[in-house]
Amino acid sequence: MEVLAALNLGDFAQYFSKMSMFPLFDLAYYIVSILYLKYEPGAVEVSRRSPVASWFSAMLYCFASYVLADVLLGNSPIDYFNNNSHVLLASAVWYLIFFCPLNLFYKCVAFLPVKLILVAMKEVVRVRKIAAGIHHAHHAYHNGWVIMVLTGWVKGSGVALIANFEQLLRGVWKPDTNEVMNMSFPTKASLYGAIMFTLQQTHWLPVSKNTLILLFTVFMASSKVFMTATHSHSSPFTLVESMLCKVLFSSTAGSAPHDSHSASHDAPHQPAPPSPAKSKEELNEGARKRKAKKAE
């Protein structure tokens, strides 16, 4: 903490945590979210065939985190759609990305230097949403650590957690893309961030909320910018997860446990090994018997 004080991060962290997200940062969040929607196979065809279904998918990409958090906290799942300015802004972004003449808007925001800036701004919003989710859950369930973690988690990665439902709106069914079974980096990072913010909210982590927001935002933004610039899908947590899984669960991350007993029952019965070859004497004896039978 003395180092943070020497670097004067406290004042900057306080200013950063109070900075308004609307409209610039929210705009960047909507642009990147709907940009990823357009990358989905068949998304452009759906927008031409059924613009309503495409619009619903875009709204889920932008507001799924609020929908899931409201469900967890017992509120109306459509409560956030009361914010007309956000819905109109997200709808305008959806229209420009999918229907702008000559794809001009899409080409501008998909240009890599511009996209990297937008991705970094989106991570600022993501971290702020995780912290807000923990704060709201703490007010409703003061001692509910699991509820706080779940609320912060869905606030940070809502659209990924309901990707199967969103795909159904576009006529796609991919049960093998379950995000809980195969977590992407943003989903994992949102979960770990929710745990840290929960520990901070319950005074188990000796750091201020403003400082934690700043530090975690720097980590998320730098990681996502690097992964986007290098087109990498590897997670920075892979090495640590592999070590922890090997120690705690006797396996590496993502590997299936080996069960010799079940494997022996599930495996098909192997045929018995062939009998050893007959000796030369036995072959000669058999030949003599066959000749004797022919003679008879």
Side-chain angles (χ1 to χ4, degrees), residues 86-104:
H86 287 268
V87 174
L88 290 175
L89 182 60
S91 300
V93 171
W94 164 77
Y95 184 84
L96 290 174
I97 287 180
F98 280 95
F99 300 104
C100 181
L102 303 178
N103 257 349
L104 289 179

Side-chain angles (χ1 to χ4, degrees), residues 169-227:
L169 292 176
R170 295 185 283 112
V172 179
W173 173 240
K174 295 180 180 180
D176 56 322
T177 59
N178 191 313
E179 185 69 16
V180 179
M181 295 293 295
N182 302 288
M183 292 189 190
S184 59
F185 166 72
T187 304
K188 287 183 179 180
S190 298
L191 177 59
Y192 299 150
I195 294 174
M196 287 193 296
F197 278 103
T198 298
L199 293 175
Q200 189 281 327
Q201 187 72 46
T202 54
H203 307 291
W204 282 84
L205 191 63
V207 64
S208 68
K209 182 178 180 180
N210 297 335
T211 303
L212 183 58
I213 289 176
L214 175 62
L215 296 179
F216 195 63
T217 300
V218 171
F219 167 74
M220 289 293 295
S222 58
S223 299
K224 280 294 293 181
V225 167
F226 175 79
M227 294 171 67

Side-chain angles (χ1 to χ4, degrees), residues 228-239:
T228 304
T230 58
H231 303 285
S232 172
H233 297 285
S234 60
S235 171
F237 306 121
T238 302
L239 180 60

Side-chain angles (χ1 to χ4, degrees), residues 13-52:
Q14 183 176 6
Y15 169 77
F16 181 79
S17 63
K18 303 298 182 183
M19 187 169 53
S20 176
M21 295 291 99
F22 186 82
L24 290 180
F25 287 90
D26 286 325
L27 175 62
Y29 186 92
Y30 301 151
I31 289 175
V32 176
S33 297
I34 300 177
L35 198 61
Y36 288 155
L37 171 61
K38 190 169 184 177
Y39 291 158
E40 289 292 320
V44 176
E45 290 76 7
V46 171
S47 67
R48 301 299 188 270
R49 188 171 64 250
S50 178
V52 175

Side-chain angles (χ1 to χ4, degrees), residues 181 245-246 248-264 266:
M181 295 293 295
C245 288
K246 189 173 183 180
L248 298 176
F249 308 111
S250 301
S251 64
T252 56
S255 64
H258 177 70
D259 191 342
S260 58
H261 179 72
S262 62
S264 64
D266 295 338

